[in-house]
């Protein structure tokens, strides 16, 4: 159960990071929900995407490992 929550949180953080970075790079403003509350620098969006990917990967592998154990 814990790994599923971590995976979902990782996906949300990663998606927000990718949307913010993509909006700044190829759009006219930030995309996603984060820019509604504050405007982080582009480096924060990149870090969010990387941290989110790491959390999602860890959560997904832990969930698959728990399924194989029974």
């Amino acid at each position: 159960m814990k790994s599923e929550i971590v995976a979902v949180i990782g996906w949300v953080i990663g998606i927000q990071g990718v949307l913010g970075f993509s909006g700044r790079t190829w759009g006219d403003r930030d995309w996603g929900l984060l820019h509604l509350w504050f405007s982080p620098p582009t480096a924060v969006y990149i870090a969010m995407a990387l941290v989110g990917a790491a959390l999602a990967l860890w959560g997904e592998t832990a969930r698959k490992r728990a399924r194989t154990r029974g």
Side-chain angles (χ1 to χ4, degrees), residues 27-39:
D28 56 345
R29 61 180 179 88
D30 300 359
W31 298 338
L33 292 174
L34 194 60
H35 75 278
L36 297 176
W37 297 296
F38 59 95
S39 182

Side-chain angles (χ1 to χ4, degrees), residues 24-65:
R24 285 220 176 140
T25 304
W26 294 290
D28 56 345
R29 61 180 179 88
D30 300 359
W31 298 338
L33 292 174
L34 194 60
H35 75 278
L36 297 176
W37 297 296
F38 59 95
S39 182
T42 306
V44 172
Y45 282 126
I46 294 170
M48 284 176 59
L50 293 174
V51 168
L55 285 173
L57 180 65
W58 179 81
E60 295 291 338
T61 55
R63 183 170 47 174
K64 287 180 183 177
R65 206 171 333 152

